[in-house]
Amino acid sequence: MYIILVYDVDEKRVSKMLKLCRRYLNWIQNSVFEGEITEVKLKELVHHASRIMDTECDSLIIFRTRQEKWLEKMVIGKEKNEISNMI
Amino acid sequence: MYIILVYDVDEKRVSKMLKLCRRYLNWIQNSVFEGEITEVKLKELVHHASRIMDTECDSLIIFRTRQEKWLEKMVIGKEKNEISNMI
């Protein structure tokens, strides 16, 4: 499946979340990631994220779609390097 | 069509962007919005956003899908009020 992931976590936890998400997805904006992922890997990611987050005040939203072609992306302004997940 | 919109703009321009996006979409996380929108309204939104943004350093990403049912949303942690766009 293809997902878009966005998080909003306290500054103290940002670097951990960023590092975690980059292990699974492509980083496309400040706290936004996208990519193809399996059901198992997604569960793993959500599990690790839940352990980093304070669920009382942090938020993680994941949009899932079966096929990437069902989503069309428009970028206005500055675009992150598409292979930023490899750096 | 149904869209997800995420922005990353300099602090100085955040309040203007937030106000603009809330006129068209539902606010679901810090800088993330979603909602049903027409082609015309989306063009209008992008036009206004471009005038607020400094496209050298700010970024706006829009994911479009023809039908909301093609996207499944998972929320972990704190969820914004679903009718926050009406406040």
Side-chain angles (χ1 to χ4, degrees), chain A residues 24-79:
Chain A
Y24 295 85
L25 299 162
N26 301 312
W27 189 22
I28 56 166
Q29 200 191 70
N30 193 18
S31 54
V32 188
F33 298 77
E34 66 172 351
E36 192 64 42
I37 194 166
T38 63
E39 194 71 49
V40 173
K41 285 285 171 192
L42 178 59
K43 273 195 184 152
E44 198 180 284
L45 168 55
V46 168
H47 171 77
H48 290 310
S50 307
R51 294 174 64 103
I52 293 171
M53 293 167 67
D54 174 347
T55 51
E56 290 294 307
C57 51
D58 296 342
S59 156
L60 173 68
I61 303 178
I62 295 166
F63 294 94
R64 308 157 55 134
T65 188
R66 267 195 293 151
Q67 298 193 49
E68 186 183 352
K69 66 175 181 190
W70 289 349
L71 275 180
E72 191 192 326
K73 186 168 66 165
M74 286 171 67
V75 181
I76 295 118
K78 196 170 171 242
E79 194 166 10

Short mmCIF file of all heavy atoms in Angstrom, two decimals, chain A residues 24-79:
data_model
loop_
_atom_site.label_atom_id
_atom_site.label_comp_id
_atom_site.label_asym_id
_atom_site.label_seq_id
_atom_site.Cartn_x
_atom_site.Cartn_y
_atom_site.Cartn_z
N TYR A 24 11.55 4.13 7.11
CA TYR A 24 10.49 3.43 6.40
C TYR A 24 9.98 4.16 5.15
O TYR A 24 9.44 3.52 4.25
CB TYR A 24 9.29 3.23 7.33
CG TYR A 24 9.56 2.31 8.50
CD1 TYR A 24 10.13 2.78 9.67
CD2 TYR A 24 9.26 0.96 8.41
CE1 TYR A 24 10.38 1.93 10.75
CE2 TYR A 24 9.50 0.09 9.46
CZ TYR A 24 10.07 0.59 10.63
OH TYR A 24 10.31 -0.26 11.68
N LEU A 25 10.12 5.50 5.15
CA LEU A 25 9.44 6.30 4.11
C LEU A 25 10.33 7.39 3.54
O LEU A 25 11.43 7.63 4.02
CB LEU A 25 8.19 6.95 4.75
CG LEU A 25 7.12 5.98 5.29
CD1 LEU A 25 6.19 6.70 6.25
CD2 LEU A 25 6.34 5.33 4.15
N ASN A 26 9.82 8.04 2.49
CA ASN A 26 10.52 9.18 1.90
C ASN A 26 10.08 10.47 2.58
O ASN A 26 8.89 10.74 2.70
CB ASN A 26 10.20 9.30 0.41
CG ASN A 26 10.58 8.06 -0.34
OD1 ASN A 26 11.70 7.55 -0.19
ND2 ASN A 26 9.66 7.54 -1.13
N TRP A 27 11.04 11.26 2.95
CA TRP A 27 10.78 12.52 3.65
C TRP A 27 10.49 13.59 2.60
O TRP A 27 11.35 13.88 1.77
CB TRP A 27 12.03 12.87 4.45
CG TRP A 27 11.91 14.00 5.40
CD1 TRP A 27 10.77 14.48 5.96
CD2 TRP A 27 12.99 14.77 5.94
NE1 TRP A 27 11.06 15.50 6.82
CE2 TRP A 27 12.42 15.71 6.82
CE3 TRP A 27 14.37 14.76 5.77
CZ2 TRP A 27 13.19 16.62 7.53
CZ3 TRP A 27 15.14 15.67 6.48
CH2 TRP A 27 14.55 16.59 7.35
N ILE A 28 9.29 14.17 2.61
CA ILE A 28 8.97 15.14 1.56
C ILE A 28 8.76 16.57 2.04
O ILE A 28 8.76 17.51 1.26
CB ILE A 28 7.76 14.71 0.69
CG1 ILE A 28 6.53 14.44 1.57
CG2 ILE A 28 8.11 13.49 -0.13
CD1 ILE A 28 5.24 14.34 0.76
N GLN A 29 8.54 16.72 3.33
CA GLN A 29 8.40 18.07 3.89
C GLN A 29 8.65 17.96 5.38
O GLN A 29 8.48 16.87 5.95
CB GLN A 29 6.99 18.61 3.61
CG GLN A 29 6.86 20.12 3.71
CD GLN A 29 5.39 20.54 3.70
OE1 GLN A 29 4.66 20.31 4.65
NE2 GLN A 29 4.95 21.12 2.61
N ASN A 30 8.98 19.08 6.00
CA ASN A 30 9.22 19.15 7.45
C ASN A 30 8.78 17.90 8.25
O ASN A 30 9.62 17.12 8.68
CB ASN A 30 8.53 20.41 7.96
CG ASN A 30 8.96 20.76 9.36
OD1 ASN A 30 9.99 20.28 9.83
ND2 ASN A 30 8.18 21.58 10.02
N SER A 31 7.50 17.66 8.39
CA SER A 31 7.04 16.51 9.18
C SER A 31 6.11 15.62 8.34
O SER A 31 5.19 15.01 8.87
CB SER A 31 6.31 17.01 10.42
OG SER A 31 5.28 17.90 10.05
N VAL A 32 6.39 15.56 7.04
CA VAL A 32 5.56 14.80 6.10
C VAL A 32 6.39 13.76 5.34
O VAL A 32 7.46 14.08 4.82
CB VAL A 32 4.86 15.74 5.09
CG1 VAL A 32 3.84 14.97 4.25
CG2 VAL A 32 4.20 16.92 5.78
N PHE A 33 5.86 12.56 5.27
CA PHE A 33 6.54 11.45 4.61
C PHE A 33 5.57 10.73 3.69
O PHE A 33 4.36 10.75 3.93
CB PHE A 33 7.03 10.44 5.65
CG PHE A 33 8.03 11.02 6.60
CD1 PHE A 33 7.62 11.85 7.65
CD2 PHE A 33 9.38 10.78 6.43
CE1 PHE A 33 8.54 12.41 8.51
CE2 PHE A 33 10.31 11.33 7.29
CZ PHE A 33 9.89 12.15 8.33
N GLU A 34 6.10 10.07 2.67
CA GLU A 34 5.24 9.25 1.83
C GLU A 34 6.02 8.03 1.38
O GLU A 34 7.25 8.02 1.41
CB GLU A 34 4.73 10.04 0.61
CG GLU A 34 5.82 10.42 -0.34
CD GLU A 34 5.32 11.04 -1.65
OE1 GLU A 34 4.12 11.05 -1.95
OE2 GLU A 34 6.20 11.52 -2.40
N GLY A 35 5.30 7.02 0.95
CA GLY A 35 5.99 5.87 0.41
C GLY A 35 5.18 4.61 0.41
O GLY A 35 4.12 4.52 1.04
N GLU A 36 5.69 3.65 -0.33
CA GLU A 36 5.12 2.31 -0.41
C GLU A 36 5.56 1.56 0.84
O GLU A 36 6.73 1.65 1.24
CB GLU A 36 5.71 1.65 -1.68
CG GLU A 36 5.06 0.39 -2.11
CD GLU A 36 3.60 0.52 -2.54
OE1 GLU A 36 3.26 1.51 -3.24
OE2 GLU A 36 2.82 -0.36 -2.16
N ILE A 37 4.65 0.86 1.46
CA ILE A 37 4.99 0.13 2.68
C ILE A 37 4.08 -1.10 2.80
O ILE A 37 2.94 -1.08 2.33
CB ILE A 37 4.87 1.07 3.93
CG1 ILE A 37 5.53 0.48 5.17
CG2 ILE A 37 3.42 1.44 4.22
CD1 ILE A 37 5.74 1.49 6.31
N THR A 38 4.59 -2.14 3.41
CA THR A 38 3.75 -3.33 3.62
C THR A 38 2.95 -3.16 4.91
O THR A 38 3.29 -2.33 5.77
CB THR A 38 4.61 -4.60 3.76
OG1 THR A 38 5.42 -4.46 4.94
CG2 THR A 38 5.50 -4.83 2.56
N GLU A 39 1.91 -3.96 5.05
CA GLU A 39 1.07 -3.95 6.25
C GLU A 39 1.94 -4.22 7.49
O GLU A 39 1.80 -3.55 8.51
CB GLU A 39 0.01 -5.05 6.09
CG GLU A 39 -1.15 -4.97 7.06
CD GLU A 39 -2.09 -3.81 6.79
OE1 GLU A 39 -2.51 -3.62 5.63
OE2 GLU A 39 -2.39 -3.09 7.75
N VAL A 40 2.84 -5.18 7.38
CA VAL A 40 3.71 -5.55 8.51
C VAL A 40 4.64 -4.41 8.91
O VAL A 40 4.78 -4.08 10.10
CB VAL A 40 4.53 -6.83 8.16
CG1 VAL A 40 5.55 -7.14 9.24
CG2 VAL A 40 3.60 -8.01 7.95
N LYS A 41 5.25 -3.80 7.91
CA LYS A 41 6.17 -2.69 8.19
C LYS A 41 5.43 -1.49 8.77
O LYS A 41 5.95 -0.78 9.62
CB LYS A 41 6.90 -2.28 6.89
CG LYS A 41 7.99 -3.25 6.47
CD LYS A 41 9.21 -3.12 7.37
CE LYS A 41 10.23 -4.21 7.14
NZ LYS A 41 11.25 -4.23 8.19
N LEU A 42 4.21 -1.26 8.29
CA LEU A 42 3.42 -0.15 8.83
C LEU A 42 3.09 -0.39 10.31
O LEU A 42 3.20 0.54 11.12
CB LEU A 42 2.13 0.05 8.01
CG LEU A 42 1.20 1.16 8.52
CD1 LEU A 42 1.90 2.52 8.54
CD2 LEU A 42 -0.06 1.24 7.64
N LYS A 43 2.72 -1.60 10.63
CA LYS A 43 2.42 -1.93 12.04
C LYS A 43 3.65 -1.70 12.91
O LYS A 43 3.56 -1.17 14.01
CB LYS A 43 2.00 -3.41 12.15
CG LYS A 43 0.52 -3.58 11.92
CD LYS A 43 0.03 -4.94 12.39
CE LYS A 43 -1.45 -5.09 12.05
NZ LYS A 43 -1.84 -6.49 11.84
N GLU A 44 4.81 -2.10 12.40
CA GLU A 44 6.08 -1.94 13.09
C GLU A 44 6.35 -0.44 13.33
O GLU A 44 6.69 -0.02 14.44
CB GLU A 44 7.16 -2.55 12.19
CG GLU A 44 8.47 -2.86 12.85
CD GLU A 44 9.43 -3.46 11.82
OE1 GLU A 44 9.28 -4.64 11.46
OE2 GLU A 44 10.33 -2.72 11.37
N LEU A 45 6.16 0.34 12.27
CA LEU A 45 6.38 1.79 12.34
C LEU A 45 5.45 2.43 13.38
O LEU A 45 5.90 3.23 14.23
CB LEU A 45 6.15 2.40 10.94
CG LEU A 45 6.05 3.91 10.80
CD1 LEU A 45 7.25 4.63 11.38
CD2 LEU A 45 5.92 4.31 9.32
N VAL A 46 4.17 2.08 13.34
CA VAL A 46 3.20 2.64 14.27
C VAL A 46 3.55 2.23 15.71
O VAL A 46 3.46 3.04 16.64
CB VAL A 46 1.76 2.21 13.89
CG1 VAL A 46 0.77 2.55 15.00
CG2 VAL A 46 1.33 2.88 12.59
N HIS A 47 3.98 1.00 15.87
CA HIS A 47 4.38 0.51 17.19
C HIS A 47 5.55 1.35 17.75
O HIS A 47 5.49 1.83 18.88
CB HIS A 47 4.77 -0.97 17.08
CG HIS A 47 5.39 -1.52 18.32
ND1 HIS A 47 4.63 -1.86 19.43
CD2 HIS A 47 6.68 -1.77 18.65
CE1 HIS A 47 5.44 -2.30 20.38
NE2 HIS A 47 6.69 -2.27 19.93
N HIS A 48 6.58 1.53 16.93
CA HIS A 48 7.74 2.32 17.39
C HIS A 48 7.34 3.78 17.64
O HIS A 48 7.78 4.38 18.62
CB HIS A 48 8.87 2.27 16.35
CG HIS A 48 9.53 0.93 16.24
ND1 HIS A 48 9.97 0.23 17.33
CD2 HIS A 48 9.81 0.16 15.16
CE1 HIS A 48 10.51 -0.92 16.94
NE2 HIS A 48 10.41 -0.99 15.62
N ALA A 49 6.52 4.32 16.76
CA ALA A 49 6.09 5.73 16.91
C ALA A 49 5.32 5.93 18.21
O ALA A 49 5.54 6.91 18.92
CB ALA A 49 5.25 6.15 15.71
N SER A 50 4.44 4.98 18.51
CA SER A 50 3.65 5.09 19.74
C SER A 50 4.53 5.12 20.99
O SER A 50 4.17 5.73 22.01
CB SER A 50 2.69 3.90 19.87
OG SER A 50 1.93 3.77 18.72
N ARG A 51 5.66 4.46 20.91
CA ARG A 51 6.57 4.43 22.05
C ARG A 51 7.35 5.74 22.18
O ARG A 51 7.80 6.09 23.28
CB ARG A 51 7.54 3.24 21.94
CG ARG A 51 6.78 1.91 22.05
CD ARG A 51 7.71 0.75 21.79
NE ARG A 51 8.75 0.67 22.80
CZ ARG A 51 8.76 -0.22 23.80
NH1 ARG A 51 7.81 -1.10 23.91
NH2 ARG A 51 9.74 -0.23 24.67
N ILE A 52 7.53 6.45 21.08
CA ILE A 52 8.23 7.74 21.13
C ILE A 52 7.26 8.85 21.57
O ILE A 52 7.60 9.71 22.35
CB ILE A 52 8.81 8.10 19.73
CG1 ILE A 52 9.93 7.12 19.34
CG2 ILE A 52 9.31 9.55 19.71
CD1 ILE A 52 10.41 7.27 17.89
N MET A 53 6.03 8.79 21.04
CA MET A 53 5.05 9.86 21.25
C MET A 53 4.49 9.94 22.67
O MET A 53 4.40 8.93 23.36
CB MET A 53 3.85 9.64 20.32
CG MET A 53 4.16 9.81 18.86
SD MET A 53 2.81 9.16 17.82
CE MET A 53 1.49 10.31 18.21
N ASP A 54 4.08 11.16 23.03
CA ASP A 54 3.23 11.34 24.19
C ASP A 54 1.83 11.51 23.59
O ASP A 54 1.50 12.57 23.05
CB ASP A 54 3.65 12.59 24.96
CG ASP A 54 2.70 12.89 26.10
OD1 ASP A 54 1.59 12.30 26.14
OD2 ASP A 54 3.03 13.73 26.94
N THR A 55 1.02 10.45 23.65
CA THR A 55 -0.25 10.47 22.93
C THR A 55 -1.28 11.45 23.51
O THR A 55 -2.32 11.67 22.92
CB THR A 55 -0.86 9.05 22.83
OG1 THR A 55 -0.87 8.48 24.13
CG2 THR A 55 -0.04 8.17 21.89
N GLU A 56 -0.94 12.06 24.64
CA GLU A 56 -1.82 13.08 25.22
C GLU A 56 -1.73 14.39 24.44
O GLU A 56 -2.67 15.16 24.40
CB GLU A 56 -1.43 13.37 26.68
CG GLU A 56 -1.73 12.26 27.65
CD GLU A 56 -3.23 12.03 27.81
OE1 GLU A 56 -3.94 12.99 28.11
OE2 GLU A 56 -3.66 10.87 27.65
N CYS A 57 -0.55 14.62 23.86
CA CYS A 57 -0.40 15.91 23.18
C CYS A 57 0.18 15.78 21.77
O CYS A 57 0.04 16.69 20.95
CB CYS A 57 0.45 16.86 24.02
SG CYS A 57 1.98 16.14 24.57
N ASP A 58 0.83 14.67 21.44
CA ASP A 58 1.39 14.50 20.09
C ASP A 58 0.36 13.85 19.18
O ASP A 58 -0.58 13.20 19.64
CB ASP A 58 2.62 13.59 20.13
CG ASP A 58 3.76 14.18 20.93
OD1 ASP A 58 3.75 15.40 21.17
OD2 ASP A 58 4.66 13.41 21.32
N SER A 59 0.58 14.00 17.89
CA SER A 59 -0.36 13.44 16.92
C SER A 59 0.36 12.86 15.71
O SER A 59 1.36 13.39 15.22
CB SER A 59 -1.32 14.56 16.50
OG SER A 59 -1.90 14.31 15.25
N LEU A 60 -0.16 11.73 15.24
CA LEU A 60 0.39 11.08 14.04
C LEU A 60 -0.81 10.70 13.17
O LEU A 60 -1.74 10.04 13.64
CB LEU A 60 1.15 9.82 14.46
CG LEU A 60 1.65 8.89 13.35
CD1 LEU A 60 2.76 9.55 12.55
CD2 LEU A 60 2.18 7.58 13.95
N ILE A 61 -0.81 11.17 11.93
CA ILE A 61 -1.91 10.84 11.02
C ILE A 61 -1.35 10.11 9.82
O ILE A 61 -0.34 10.53 9.23
CB ILE A 61 -2.70 12.09 10.58
CG1 ILE A 61 -3.25 12.84 11.80
CG2 ILE A 61 -3.87 11.70 9.66
CD1 ILE A 61 -4.00 14.11 11.47
N ILE A 62 -1.98 9.01 9.47
CA ILE A 62 -1.55 8.23 8.31
C ILE A 62 -2.72 8.07 7.35
O ILE A 62 -3.81 7.66 7.74
CB ILE A 62 -1.04 6.84 8.76
CG1 ILE A 62 0.23 7.01 9.62
CG2 ILE A 62 -0.74 5.95 7.55
CD1 ILE A 62 0.63 5.77 10.39
N PHE A 63 -2.49 8.44 6.08
CA PHE A 63 -3.48 8.23 5.04
C PHE A 63 -2.99 7.06 4.21
O PHE A 63 -1.85 7.08 3.73
CB PHE A 63 -3.61 9.46 4.14
CG PHE A 63 -4.14 10.67 4.83
CD1 PHE A 63 -3.28 11.60 5.39
CD2 PHE A 63 -5.51 10.87 4.93
CE1 PHE A 63 -3.77 12.73 6.04
CE2 PHE A 63 -6.01 11.99 5.58
CZ PHE A 63 -5.14 12.92 6.13
N ARG A 64 -3.85 6.07 4.04
CA ARG A 64 -3.46 4.89 3.28
C ARG A 64 -4.27 4.82 2.00
O ARG A 64 -5.47 5.08 2.00
CB ARG A 64 -3.80 3.63 4.07
CG ARG A 64 -3.29 3.58 5.46
CD ARG A 64 -4.08 2.62 6.34
NE ARG A 64 -4.15 1.29 5.77
CZ ARG A 64 -3.94 0.16 6.46
NH1 ARG A 64 -3.64 0.24 7.75
NH2 ARG A 64 -4.02 -0.99 5.89
N THR A 65 -3.62 4.40 0.95
CA THR A 65 -4.34 4.16 -0.29
C THR A 65 -3.75 2.90 -0.91
O THR A 65 -2.57 2.59 -0.72
CB THR A 65 -4.29 5.39 -1.23
OG1 THR A 65 -5.15 5.16 -2.32
CG2 THR A 65 -2.89 5.68 -1.72
N ARG A 66 -4.60 2.15 -1.61
CA ARG A 66 -4.11 0.89 -2.13
C ARG A 66 -3.08 1.09 -3.25
O ARG A 66 -2.15 0.33 -3.40
CB ARG A 66 -5.26 0.00 -2.59
CG ARG A 66 -5.70 -0.93 -1.46
CD ARG A 66 -6.56 -2.04 -1.98
NE ARG A 66 -7.82 -1.52 -2.46
CZ ARG A 66 -8.55 -2.08 -3.44
NH1 ARG A 66 -8.13 -3.16 -4.05
NH2 ARG A 66 -9.71 -1.56 -3.79
N GLN A 67 -3.30 2.14 -4.03
CA GLN A 67 -2.40 2.36 -5.16
C GLN A 67 -1.94 3.81 -5.23
O GLN A 67 -2.75 4.72 -5.12
CB GLN A 67 -3.11 2.00 -6.46
CG GLN A 67 -3.50 0.54 -6.50
CD GLN A 67 -3.90 0.12 -7.89
OE1 GLN A 67 -3.19 0.39 -8.86
NE2 GLN A 67 -5.03 -0.52 -8.00
N GLU A 68 -0.65 3.98 -5.47
CA GLU A 68 -0.08 5.32 -5.54
C GLU A 68 -0.75 6.14 -6.63
O GLU A 68 -0.95 7.35 -6.50
CB GLU A 68 1.43 5.22 -5.81
CG GLU A 68 2.12 6.57 -5.77
CD GLU A 68 3.61 6.48 -6.11
OE1 GLU A 68 4.14 5.36 -6.24
OE2 GLU A 68 4.23 7.56 -6.24
N LYS A 69 -1.15 5.49 -7.73
CA LYS A 69 -1.75 6.22 -8.86
C LYS A 69 -3.08 6.88 -8.51
O LYS A 69 -3.56 7.74 -9.24
CB LYS A 69 -1.92 5.29 -10.06
CG LYS A 69 -2.92 4.18 -9.85
CD LYS A 69 -3.13 3.37 -11.12
CE LYS A 69 -4.17 2.27 -10.87
NZ LYS A 69 -4.25 1.30 -11.95
N TRP A 70 -3.68 6.50 -7.39
CA TRP A 70 -4.93 7.14 -6.97
C TRP A 70 -4.67 8.49 -6.32
O TRP A 70 -5.60 9.21 -6.00
CB TRP A 70 -5.70 6.23 -6.00
CG TRP A 70 -6.29 5.03 -6.67
CD1 TRP A 70 -6.38 4.82 -8.01
CD2 TRP A 70 -6.89 3.89 -6.04
NE1 TRP A 70 -6.99 3.61 -8.25
CE2 TRP A 70 -7.32 3.02 -7.06
CE3 TRP A 70 -7.12 3.53 -4.71
CZ2 TRP A 70 -7.95 1.81 -6.79
CZ3 TRP A 70 -7.75 2.32 -4.45
CH2 TRP A 70 -8.16 1.47 -5.48
N LEU A 71 -3.41 8.79 -6.09
CA LEU A 71 -3.03 10.06 -5.48
C LEU A 71 -2.21 10.87 -6.46
O LEU A 71 -1.24 10.36 -7.02
CB LEU A 71 -2.16 9.82 -4.25
CG LEU A 71 -2.82 9.54 -2.91
CD1 LEU A 71 -1.74 9.35 -1.87
CD2 LEU A 71 -3.75 10.67 -2.49
N GLU A 72 -2.59 12.11 -6.64
CA GLU A 72 -1.81 12.98 -7.52
C GLU A 72 -1.19 14.05 -6.62
O GLU A 72 -1.89 14.65 -5.80
CB GLU A 72 -2.75 13.61 -8.53
CG GLU A 72 -2.07 14.34 -9.66
CD GLU A 72 -3.08 15.17 -10.44
OE1 GLU A 72 -4.24 14.73 -10.57
OE2 GLU A 72 -2.70 16.25 -10.91
N LYS A 73 0.10 14.27 -6.78
CA LYS A 73 0.79 15.22 -5.90
C LYS A 73 1.15 16.51 -6.62
O LYS A 73 1.66 16.48 -7.74
CB LYS A 73 2.06 14.56 -5.35
CG LYS A 73 2.77 15.43 -4.31
CD LYS A 73 3.85 14.67 -3.55
CE LYS A 73 5.01 14.27 -4.45
NZ LYS A 73 6.19 13.88 -3.67
N MET A 74 0.84 17.64 -5.99
CA MET A 74 1.24 18.95 -6.51
C MET A 74 2.18 19.56 -5.48
O MET A 74 1.86 19.52 -4.29
CB MET A 74 0.04 19.91 -6.54
CG MET A 74 -0.98 19.71 -7.60
SD MET A 74 -2.42 20.83 -7.24
CE MET A 74 -1.69 22.46 -7.50
N VAL A 75 3.29 20.12 -5.93
CA VAL A 75 4.19 20.80 -4.99
C VAL A 75 4.34 22.26 -5.43
O VAL A 75 4.66 22.53 -6.58
CB VAL A 75 5.57 20.12 -4.93
CG1 VAL A 75 6.47 20.84 -3.94
CG2 VAL A 75 5.45 18.66 -4.55
N ILE A 76 4.10 23.17 -4.50
CA ILE A 76 4.28 24.59 -4.76
C ILE A 76 5.39 25.06 -3.83
O ILE A 76 5.38 24.78 -2.63
CB ILE A 76 2.97 25.37 -4.52
CG1 ILE A 76 1.91 24.92 -5.52
CG2 ILE A 76 3.16 26.88 -4.65
CD1 ILE A 76 0.72 24.29 -4.93
N GLY A 77 6.38 25.74 -4.41
CA GLY A 77 7.50 26.21 -3.59
C GLY A 77 8.61 25.19 -3.56
O GLY A 77 8.81 24.42 -4.49
N LYS A 78 9.30 25.18 -2.45
CA LYS A 78 10.51 24.39 -2.31
C LYS A 78 10.21 22.89 -2.14
O LYS A 78 9.36 22.52 -1.34
CB LYS A 78 11.27 24.88 -1.07
CG LYS A 78 12.69 24.43 -0.99
CD LYS A 78 13.41 25.16 0.13
CE LYS A 78 14.77 24.55 0.34
NZ LYS A 78 14.93 23.97 1.67
N GLU A 79 10.90 22.08 -2.90
CA GLU A 79 10.69 20.64 -2.80
C GLU A 79 11.93 19.98 -2.21
O GLU A 79 13.04 20.30 -2.58
CB GLU A 79 10.38 20.06 -4.18
CG GLU A 79 9.82 18.65 -4.13
CD GLU A 79 9.21 18.22 -5.46
OE1 GLU A 79 9.38 18.93 -6.47
OE2 GLU A 79 8.57 17.17 -5.48
#
